[in-house]
Amino acid sequence: MNELEQIASSLGLPETWEERNGSWWMAPASLDVRVMAAVLRSHEARFVTLTAMQLLPDERIRIDYHWDLDGRLLTFTTFAVENRVPSIVDLCEAADWVERETHENFSVEFTGRPYEPLLLRTGDASGLQLRKERS
Amino acid sequence: MNVWALLMDNLRRGTVTLRFPSRPPTCNRYRGLVQINTEPCKCCGICALVCTSAAITMKKGDGKYEWNYDAGQCTFCGRCVDSCALKLLTMDSTPPPAYETSGALKQSHTWSAKSVAAKPASAPNTTSTEGKVSEEVPR
Amino acid sequence: MNLTIAFFRLLLFPGLLFAVPAAWFFLWTERKTVALMQRRIGPPFLQPFFDFMKLMGKRVPRQPGITGALMSAWPVFAVAASIGALSLLPIFPLRNGFPGDLILLLALLELPSFFYIAAGFTSRSLFGEIGSAREAVLSISYNVVFLIAVIAIAVSQHTFRLEELAQSSGSLLRWIGILAILVCIPAKLHLNPFSVANAEQEIYAGPMTEYAGAGLALWDLSHGLEWVAMTGLVASLALPRTSHWWLDIGVFLIFSLSVVLLLSGLAAATARLTIDYSARLYWRLGLIVAVLAVSTALLARLKL
Amino acid sequence: MNLWRRLLCLCRRRSPWLFHMNAGSCNGCDIELVACLTPRYDVEQLGIQIQGSPRHADILCISGPVTHYTLNAIRTVYGQVYEPKAVVAIGSCPASTNVFIGSPVVEGPLEKHIPVDVYVPGCPPRPDALIEGIAKAAKILSDRRRKQAERKPGQ
Amino acid sequence: MSYRVPIGPYHPALEEPYKLDLVCEGETVRDADLHIGFNFRGIEYLAERRNYAQLIALMERVCGICSNVHTLSICQAIERLAGIVPPERALYIRVVMAELERLHSHILWAGIAGKVMGFKTMFMTSFELRENIMDALEAISGNRVNYAMNRVGGVNRDIEDPAALLHMIDGIELALNRSIIPIFTKNHTALSRCVGVGVLTNEQAHSLAVVGPTARASGISQDIRRAAPYAAYDRMSFDVPVETSGDVRARLVVRALEILESCKILRQALSTMPAADWWGSKKKLKVPAGTVVSRIEGPRGEVLYSVTADGASDTPKRVRVRTPTYANMPAIRTMLRGARLADAPLIQASIDPCYSCTDR
């Protein structure tokens, strides 16, 4: 378990890990996504996916980063500051597709990366919005 | 066993194909078309609530209950049969027949609310399927 | 070889009237054998005929891009070439062919694959071009073995007349030549280890992708006729000549059928090879057969 | 000429070639159609073959709830299959968008876009039900005139 | 000169529509780019408008081959959120259904790989063998493909006669060891199509974060059933086959060994299954607010479900589905670089793609 504390300390986060429903959650007040990606890649963690959700209309989009550290599922919860999140594509190649899909579903701006339409959504303006205002 | 031995073995064991008109038997748990025994039904609507593809729709109006079932819309998942409290829905154990005009397998039953209140839940009698079920499976 | 006999052979016995049903029969045998080897029932007996007639009945609209005059001519040429090759086979009727008819037979056997390649390019579909390029590479590689084997047999018998070839007694070199021809047949007929040109999974139907209706029917027919022509060539080279003509035909049919069964078994037992692997295989095989055949032929020639 | 017409109709019924199109299906129906080729059902006994290109096919088998991105592909392929042709809708999805009812990306039942001849209900239908549907479509196909008047969708 | 070969939406080698544009020079592929989205049905959009009973039937239709994977994962997620523990026998039945589905999915893949390789006989033999499993599945659940076995808090049906199932499993294992595995791994023509084709090295597999048999064939020993056991997997003893060469043959061998492992697990599950009640909780489902993540090991790899509920309405607020093919598909581009055009369909089939899973 010390590896988890190691990660939390190297990220300089005051919060502690919380084990809930079989996986480890961390909801830091402010989190530099790129530092998180670099630290976890150095720990040989595997990037599983990121979940974007918007529970109430015109509320900030919440993004959960899921990582798999040899069997344990770690989830970092962050919020997109005015729809803008730094991209981690150059650090972790596996995040490419899911960032493009989240951009199309929630029009969240992943800064610092090129965009081609991932899912064949050329017709629709910015894809099928899962945002609450749209539906 | 290499490929040639497999081929010779196949030739020796003969074919396993079913000649066209005959079909493999279905077990009694097979989930085919949904049938309803309308007599004791109190139109609680749980089957319409549980149906994920809106195949079953119920209407209650001025003493009349109406139960509509569209086989084209149905996904044969069996949730309605399991969730019916009075166990009035059953599923055919034979595969539904192919049909040519859309909506051919639609079923709709209307019965008056009074008949339900008067008669206790007697033995399920033969259901009157007014809906047009397409003709016998062509052989 | 006057005109009437030529027409008789072209239209009646080894030609049209016998060849087309034989082609359908061979196609049916191949599909049925493969099916039975996979524990399936397989198609009914008249299936190739049904396929042919149904395709004839299709209404193919005249689109300039797809059904140009040249494009619909290729299958007709292919069928004609195969029937021409068939009529030259030294089987039943008056058997005095002309000197050098073996060379004409080889030419007519090569024409269908040439038309196949041309059809791929004229159909202007990308998959047609890829299929034709593959067919060209494949025909270069298997023709080396095929032509050398036939020439070696001809040289060892000092004759290019099919008639004398059919009569002469078997020698070791003759059997090696026949074996080499048998090895080339799967590539020529697009059978499974070398069904690279019309690889359904990779490039749709290769050169025949754009064909539909009558064109496709004729291509299937020419494929069947190639079956009959190749097995006929092998049978006429390998079989001893008997006195009665009907015995000849019976032995010819039985031998061709056994060749078909053998090749269908090979088709069922192997996966499809890639184009470069099969080309390498034939070139390696080709060199051995070439050296062997030419050297024995020359030795035989020098000794006499 | 009646004999020629009857012969053509017989051959059309005995050699129906299929082209399968997946219009956004969950591949349950596609695998059941592939299972029809296999030894236990073996559609080749009816002369049925699954062809690689729509030009070679007579019957167009479509499965899936016609998603927005496969709609124009369906229309073009329907045009590429030459007359006389038939359309078989496999499973409940093309008949009525099945469980995906209400999704903005699903373009509704197939009959809104191309005329459908035979519906095979089921999610997924069993391979033997599929073969029965295709055999029915082959029978319909054989009665069609060679010069098919272009049928309007939904007829 | 290089030209673009579109292995287009509708191609005989593809079971489902997706576009693979190959940039080739002659017969070798230089680069490939993928276009997906043809099977996009907006399931995550629909999931927010279905109540918990309908949600499970909807999630079953995400993919036709691994339908049980999706229902099991969503049921486990909701059970963790609502704090419901299914009865012991229901956990065992879930393990049996999951392994039966892995059996038929892997044998299906062996058949499709044989078909794409041009090896029609192995396609027919594999599917003939698979029919036995489909009959067993239909006998248990009533439908060959969508079993509708899982329910929040338990299962819908019981497995009445495990003896017939055990007999079928012995038949499957015998046939596999006798004909399918030896032929696929020793036949020269099949080997020439599989060895050294579509190689994914260990580093590439790590950086692309591939999952399931594709990762295990490139030397990454990763299996959610052992790392984070769910249902009754912690009471099963099985080992995880790993190959290191990372080509199509390695994936074939890994899947073949996994089939044999599944048979082993099925025998253990069926023999030690407790004879308790399997229906589970009867009271109405009450889902509190919160977010839960549940992962299981599907035939193609790790499936992740993230369910968020707000505790008030009876429909979930957000259901996120991350399917294994979504992680494996970008790896196709690296495998295709430098491959032969003839091998492109086989390489994209070797990761056992399921596009309806990818597009949701």
Side-chain angles (χ1 to χ4, degrees):
Chain A
M1 210 39 82
N2 53 17
E3 215 174 348
L4 286 185
E5 272 82 27
Q6 240 175 13
I7 294 174
S9 58
S10 54
L11 283 173
L13 295 175
E15 291 84 358
T16 62
W17 287 102
E18 183 201 348
E19 202 215 346
R20 196 162 30 104
N21 298 338
S23 56
W24 277 264
W25 298 78
M26 165 78 82
S30 71
L31 171 75
D32 180 345
V33 176
R34 296 186 62 77
V35 169
M36 169 200 75
V39 163
L40 278 155
R41 287 298 293 158
S42 66
H43 278 268
E44 288 295 322
R46 172 171 61 87
F47 175 78
V48 180
T49 186
L50 70 85
T51 311
M53 62 185 85
Q54 185 192 31
L55 301 182
L56 297 171
D58 58 50
E59 190 212 46
R60 285 184 314 167
I61 303 255
R62 168 182 152 195
I63 295 184
D64 295 358
Y65 284 84
H66 302 288
W67 295 83
D68 171 282
L69 189 62
D70 53 54
R72 290 192 301 273
L73 187 66
L74 320 177
T75 309
F76 289 87
T77 311
T78 61
F79 286 90
V81 174
E82 339 91 22
N83 266 345
R84 204 169 302 305
V85 177
S87 158
I88 58 171
V89 164
D90 42 6
L91 294 168
C92 154
E93 206 178 339
D96 175 27
W97 276 33
V98 72
E99 280 186 356
R100 284 154 68 183
E101 189 197 353
T102 313
H103 168 68
E104 279 166 2
N105 269 352
F106 288 88
S107 66
V108 169
E109 208 43 54
F110 285 90
T111 55
R113 57 154 299 142
Y115 276 113
E116 316 88 37
L118 165 69
L119 301 176
L120 204 65
R121 305 266 180 82
T122 42
D124 214 332
S126 66
L128 175 78
Q129 295 265 352
L130 288 177
R131 300 180 64 123
K132 289 297 174 281
E133 302 92 350
R134 163 75 186 265
S135 53
Chain B
M1 181 181 201
N2 66 13
V3 167
W4 293 96
L6 174 71
L7 295 183
M8 290 313 128
D9 192 41
N10 284 351
L11 279 176
R12 182 176 49 79
R13 282 188 303 172
T15 67
V16 287
T17 313
L18 295 162
R19 286 274 166 198
F20 166 60
S22 65
R23 301 168 70 149
T26 56
C27 62
N28 50 22
R29 280 188 178 180
Y30 182 77
R31 294 186 246 126
L33 290 175
V34 178
Q35 311 292 350
I36 184 169
N37 164 18
T38 60
E39 283 321 304
C41 170
K42 295 189 179 49
C43 208
C44 62
I46 188 75
C47 51
L49 176 75
V50 164
C51 180
T52 185
S53 59
I56 296 180
T57 47
M58 304 278 285
K59 274 208 240 358
K60 280 192 210 168
D62 52 56
K64 271 266 175 289
Y65 293 149
E66 189 184 345
W67 181 85
N68 295 321
Y69 168 71
D70 174 7
Q73 190 72 39
C74 173
T75 185
F76 306 100
C77 63
R79 293 285 62 71
C80 52
V81 172
D82 292 349
S83 62
C84 176
L86 306 170
K87 292 290 171 267
L88 302 177
L89 293 173
T90 55
M91 284 183 122
D92 294 351
S93 65
T94 58
Y99 55 96
E100 294 176 18
T101 57
S102 79
L105 293 186
K106 275 201 168 87
Q107 285 180 39
S108 71
H109 306 283
T110 57
W111 64 96
S112 66
K114 288 185 299 309
S115 67
V116 168
K119 267 211 304 292
S122 60
N125 51 21
T126 56
T127 61
S128 58
T129 55
E130 293 88 2
K132 178 172 70 56
V133 180
S134 77
E135 82 287 1
E136 189 43 46
V137 177
R139 276 290 164 266
Chain C
M1 202 49 164
N2 53 31
L3 208 54
T4 54
I5 292 176
F7 267 106
F8 175 83
R9 292 171 70 100
L10 198 60
L11 296 181
L12 278 165
F13 172 63
L16 205 59
L17 208 56
F18 158 77
V20 171
W24 286 335
F25 174 67
F26 279 8
L27 282 177
W28 174 76
T29 316
E30 194 248 342
R31 278 172 67 180
K32 185 78 173 179
T33 327
V34 169
L36 285 175
M37 283 183 179
Q38 297 166 350
R39 300 195 75 186
R40 298 188 291 128
I41 290 181
F45 181 68
L46 290 176
Q47 192 55 44
F49 167 70
F50 291 141
D51 293 345
F52 182 81
M53 293 309 293
K54 176 211 69 176
L55 284 172
M56 283 310 211
K58 292 286 277 188
R59 188 168 66 83
V60 180
R62 314 288 312 170
Q63 283 132 336
I66 294 174
T67 52
L70 188 60
M71 206 176 132
S72 47
W74 292 127
V76 177
F77 291 160
V79 169
S82 305
I83 290 181
L86 256 170
S87 62
L88 283 168
L89 287 178
I91 307 174
F92 149 65
L94 299 178
R95 308 182 200 124
N96 43 18
F98 49 93
D101 58 6
L102 173 66
I103 298 169
L104 178 59
L105 178 73
L106 289 183
L108 288 176
L109 280 177
E110 284 317 309
L111 277 183
S113 58
F114 168 73
F115 294 140
Y116 194 72
I117 297 166
F121 281 112
T122 44
S123 73
R124 269 204 296 278
S125 99
L126 179 68
F127 297 108
E129 277 154 30
I130 298 175
S132 306
R134 286 185 175 184
E135 173 65 18
V137 168
L138 200 62
S139 70
I140 293 169
S141 50
Y142 75 75
N143 272 338
V144 170
V145 183
F146 177 61
L147 294 179
I148 285 168
V150 173
I151 290 165
I153 294 175
V155 164
S156 70
Q157 311 295 331
H158 316 292
T159 163
F160 270 91
R161 183 194 278 261
L162 268 171
E163 199 38 53
E164 286 156 11
L165 273 179
Q167 250 133 12
S168 61
S169 67
S171 70
L172 174 66
L173 177 65
R174 185 192 187 92
W175 286 108
I176 295 172
I178 288 168
L179 189 68
I181 293 174
L182 270 178
V183 165
C184 302
I185 292 185
K188 183 153 185 47
L189 299 177
H190 311 309
L191 284 178
N192 203 5
F194 306 105
S195 65
V196 184
N198 56 359
E200 193 218 0
Q201 265 67 36
E202 285 137 28
I203 39 173
Y204 289 88
M208 294 200 290
T209 315
E210 292 305 327
Y211 277 87
L216 188 59
L218 287 177
W219 275 120
D220 281 350
L221 183 61
S222 86
H223 177 65
L225 289 171
E226 268 174 18
W227 261 104
V228 184
M230 290 306 286
T231 45
L233 175 66
V234 171
S236 56
L237 286 179
L239 293 183
R241 185 67 63 218
T242 60
S243 54
H244 314 288
W245 59 272
W246 41 269
L247 201 57
D248 276 351
I249 296 180
V251 168
F252 168 79
L253 281 182
I254 291 165
F255 186 84
S256 320
L257 211 57
S258 55
V259 168
V260 168
L261 293 179
L262 178 78
L263 292 175
S264 314
L266 182 70
T270 51
R272 178 183 303 124
L273 301 175
T274 55
I275 183 67
D276 48 359
Y277 187 84
S278 32
R280 218 178 303 127
L281 190 76
Y282 269 113
W283 276 100
R284 225 180 286 134
L285 195 70
L287 286 182
I288 296 167
V289 169
V291 167
L292 198 70
V294 174
S295 52
T296 40
L298 285 178
L299 283 178
R301 201 57 179 286
L302 293 181
K303 250 205 317 298
L304 298 183
Chain D
M1 278 318 278
N2 190 338
L3 184 67
W4 170 260
R5 174 81 40 233
R6 269 214 320 278
L7 178 68
L8 272 187
C9 289
L10 170 73
C11 295
R12 236 173 257 139
R13 187 169 57 82
R14 291 298 294 270
S15 127
W17 288 1
L18 309 182
F19 178 72
H20 168 60
M21 271 192 76
N22 173 332
S25 141
C26 75
N27 79 32
C29 296
D30 316 325
I31 301 298
E32 295 295 81
L33 190 63
V34 169
C36 288
L37 297 167
T38 54
R40 185 172 180 197
Y41 302 97
D42 191 18
V43 278
E44 206 171 353
Q45 66 184 322
L46 299 170
I48 297 173
Q49 282 179 341
I50 295 192
Q51 290 296 330
S53 108
R55 297 223 191 303
H56 302 178
D58 310 317
I59 296 183
L60 187 58
C61 292
I62 293 183
S63 65
V66 192
T67 57
H68 173 71
Y69 306 103
T70 56
L71 185 55
N72 38 38
I74 283 186
R75 287 204 182 104
T76 45
V77 169
Y78 181 72
Q80 282 174 355
V81 181
Y82 293 132
E83 291 297 338
K85 61 189 169 194
V87 176
V88 173
I90 299 180
S92 306
C93 280
S96 62
T97 71
N98 202 353
V99 289
F100 311 112
I101 190 166
S103 158
V105 197
V106 168
E107 299 293 340
L110 183 63
E111 60 177 356
K112 279 198 306 192
H113 309 290
I114 56 175
V116 179
D117 297 302
V118 176
Y119 293 90
V120 181
C123 181
R126 284 164 54 107
D128 48 283
L130 273 175
I131 296 173
E132 182 221 341
I134 293 167
K136 187 180 261 215
K139 208 154 64 60
I140 293 171
L141 197 68
S142 69
D143 315 336
R144 284 243 165 96
R145 316 294 321 151
R146 188 155 165 263
K147 291 213 166 12
Q148 169 75 37
E150 204 51 46
R151 285 181 300 131
K152 289 185 299 308
Q155 222 169 18
Chain E
M1 60 80 181
S2 80
Y3 54 94
R4 298 186 70 91
V5 176
I7 298 201
Y10 294 103
H11 186 276
L14 309 177
E15 293 307 319
E16 298 163 275
Y18 96 114
K19 232 157 98 63
L20 185 64
D21 282 349
L22 303 174
V23 179
C24 330
E25 278 148 13
E27 282 266 341
T28 57
V29 178
R30 281 293 161 259
D31 191 5
D33 49 14
L34 292 85
H35 299 282
I36 59 173
F38 292 87
N39 281 0
F40 174 65
R41 296 149 288 177
I43 286 187
E44 291 181 358
Y45 174 91
L46 287 173
E48 290 162 16
R49 285 152 186 78
R50 292 285 197 272
N51 61 45
Y52 285 108
Q54 295 171 333
L55 186 64
I56 295 166
L58 171 70
M59 280 304 158
E60 194 169 30
R61 266 84 190 163
V62 165
C63 163
I65 315 174
C66 46
S67 59
N68 183 38
V69 152
H70 292 281
T71 49
L72 180 57
S73 194
I74 188 96
C75 284
Q76 268 179 264
I78 299 171
E79 278 158 14
R80 279 190 192 152
L81 203 53
I84 304 169
V85 179
E88 196 61 15
R89 188 175 174 91
L91 293 179
Y92 274 80
I93 291 178
R94 282 182 176 175
V95 165
V96 169
M97 292 310 289
E99 290 311 317
L100 277 177
E101 178 174 65
R102 195 184 314 278
L103 266 186
H104 100 75
S105 174
H106 281 336
I107 293 180
L108 168 96
W109 176 81
I112 296 290
K115 181 168 178 258
V116 169
M117 214 187 287
F119 209 164
K120 271 223 180 310
T121 309
M122 287 326 293
F123 163 65
M124 296 296 178
T125 320
S126 308
F127 269 73
E128 179 199 347
L129 191 63
R130 179 173 169 264
E131 283 300 314
N132 308 341
I133 309 174
M134 304 304 268
D135 286 349
L137 283 169
E138 184 172 284
I140 297 173
S141 69
N143 188 314
R144 285 161 57 102
V145 173
N146 296 324
Y147 320 130
M149 277 300 270
N150 290 315
R151 189 179 56 79
V152 178
V155 277
N156 285 332
R157 279 171 218 80
D158 190 11
I159 295 182
E160 260 104 20
D161 62 349
L165 222 52
L166 284 170
H167 175 70
M168 184 271 291
I169 292 162
D170 299 344
I172 297 272
E173 197 161 20
L174 179 73
L176 271 166
N177 285 331
R178 204 161 52 89
S179 60
I180 292 184
I181 295 180
I183 289 176
F184 262 124
T185 47
K186 293 196 187 63
N187 182 299
H188 296 300
T189 49
L191 280 183
S192 75
R193 291 300 299 272
C194 288
V195 175
V197 169
V199 177
L200 188 70
T201 61
N202 199 308
E203 298 74 29
Q204 284 168 342
H206 268 297
S207 77
L208 281 166
V210 285
V211 287
T214 319
R216 287 192 280 274
S218 303
I220 301 176
S221 159
Q222 158 224 102
D223 190 333
I224 309 295
R225 290 176 297 177
R226 194 187 48 196
Y230 51 93
Y233 275 108
D234 44 14
R235 278 149 282 203
M236 305 290 158
S237 78
F238 60 96
D239 47 26
V240 176
V242 178
E243 292 281 323
T244 50
S245 57
D247 54 5
V248 173
R249 185 178 182 285
R251 287 175 210 125
L252 201 135
V253 167
V254 161
R255 287 196 174 93
L257 296 178
E258 267 180 24
I259 294 178
L260 302 179
E261 287 309 313
S262 292
C263 293
K264 212 165 72 174
I265 295 176
L266 275 168
R267 284 202 189 86
Q268 290 169 31
L270 286 170
S271 53
T272 62
M273 184 181 277
D277 97 71
W278 44 273
W279 176 257
S281 66
K282 294 279 185 302
K283 51 187 172 21
K284 193 174 180 324
L285 180 67
K286 199 65 204 70
V287 183
T291 306
V292 71
V293 176
S294 112
R295 292 191 306 172
I296 72 170
E297 179 72 23
R300 284 158 195 72
E302 169 206 42
V303 178
L304 180 131
Y305 264 74
S306 156
V307 178
T308 309
D310 67 355
S313 67
D314 68 349
T315 65
K317 269 285 156 266
R318 171 82 163 103
V319 177
R320 161 82 171 122
V321 181
R322 202 299 308 255
T323 52
T325 317
Y326 198 88
N328 292 343
M329 276 259 284
I332 291 182
R333 281 187 74 173
T334 50
M335 293 187 213
L336 276 175
R337 287 199 183 93
R340 295 178 292 211
L341 175 63
D343 293 333
L346 181 61
I347 291 172
Q348 64 90 19
S350 73
I351 66 160
D352 197 353
C354 169
Y355 313 116
S356 43
C357 269
T358 319
D359 302 340
R360 291 174 309 278

